Amino acid sequence: MIDFTLSAFVTLLLVVDPVGLAPAFLAATGGMPDKTMPTIALRAPLIAASILVVIALIGNWLLRQLGIGIPAFQIAGGLLLFGVSYQMIFGDRPHREAREADKATSEHASDVAVFPLAIPMMAGPGAIATTLLLTGDAGYGPRLPIIIAVVLAVCLLCMLCFVSANMIARSLGRTGNAVLSRVLGMLLAAYSVQFVINGFAAVRASLP
């Protein structure tokens, strides 16, 4: 159980990357009154946590209704996570997210806590796929509360990073953000490949 908890926490943490979202938060809230920033820093993670918890609770049921097997989703989700890790290693994810947040703000998004911070930066395709993959492994047994606790813990870290965004951005700088993104990307790539291997192994075991 401890191994599962640690694995789930690290995987979701790598996908969401709370520290890497600090520049995106600053870009999304740029030009706003200082008194509104703490409110956004609290609301965005709460919204993202609500989305991911709902996914954890109904994800397996939804897959069954669509006729999608867990092994198929493990393979597809692993490939999707590998795409995220590829962008983290060879791309410019933190600065790209900051540019997307800045663009959304300039287009007068009605609430930046919802878009782009909660969706798609925290509760994006990668985080949703990861939550579904974890619940697929856990089922609805005693591990499900652990997944929900992991989701809440990661979103709490996002909240802390948003509150401390100015300090984090100054401490890491452009080079620090780039190095952190690539190191986390390598770890996420390994996890995503493991998901794909597990999916193929489950398919092979089900064959006559």
Side-chain angles (χ1 to χ4, degrees):
M1 195 69 72
I2 295 176
D3 290 341
F4 175 80
T5 303
L6 182 60
S7 175
F9 177 75
V10 171
T11 304
L12 190 60
L13 184 69
L14 292 176
V15 173
V16 177
D17 186 14
V19 176
L21 288 178
F25 173 79
L26 293 176
T29 56
M32 294 184 177
D34 291 341
K35 63 180 181 181
T36 65
M37 293 179 67
T39 302
I40 295 173
L42 295 176
R43 286 193 64 204
L46 289 175
I47 295 170
S50 300
I51 294 170
L52 294 178
V53 167
V54 170
I55 291 295
L57 292 174
I58 69 169
N60 283 333
W61 173 84
L62 181 61
L63 290 180
R64 287 197 301 270
Q65 297 303 309
L66 295 175
I68 300 173
I70 294 300
F73 197 86
Q74 284 179 314
I75 295 171
L79 294 175
L80 176 61
L81 293 182
F82 188 83
V84 174
S85 68
Y86 183 89
Q87 292 178 354
M88 293 173 69
I89 297 170
F90 297 104
D92 193 19
R93 187 185 179 195
H95 301 288
R96 175 173 53 81
E97 288 176 339
R99 289 193 297 269
E100 289 176 355
D102 187 54
K103 180 181 178 182
T105 304
S106 65
E107 292 174 352
H108 306 288
S110 58
D111 191 346
V112 295
V114 178
F115 176 84
L117 291 177
I119 307 169
M121 292 186 178
M122 281 184 285
I128 291 173
T130 301
T131 304
L132 281 172
L133 287 171
L134 293 173
T135 54
D137 288 338
Y140 289 101
R143 290 184 174 184
L144 182 58
I146 292 177
I147 296 174
I148 294 175
V150 165
V151 167
L152 296 177
V154 171
C155 289
L156 177 61
L157 286 177
C158 287
M159 187 182 298
L160 295 176
C161 288
F162 289 166
V163 171
S164 309
N166 281 309
M167 182 181 67
I168 292 174
R170 286 195 303 267
S171 300
L172 291 179
R174 183 181 181 89
T175 302
N177 274 308
V179 171
L180 179 65
S181 179
R182 281 152 179 80
V183 171
L184 295 179
M186 284 294 296
L187 294 174
L188 181 59
Y191 273 106
S192 64
V193 171
Q194 187 62 54
F195 277 130
V196 174
I197 292 173
N198 292 344
F200 278 115
V203 171
R204 183 178 180 181
S206 65
L207 295 176

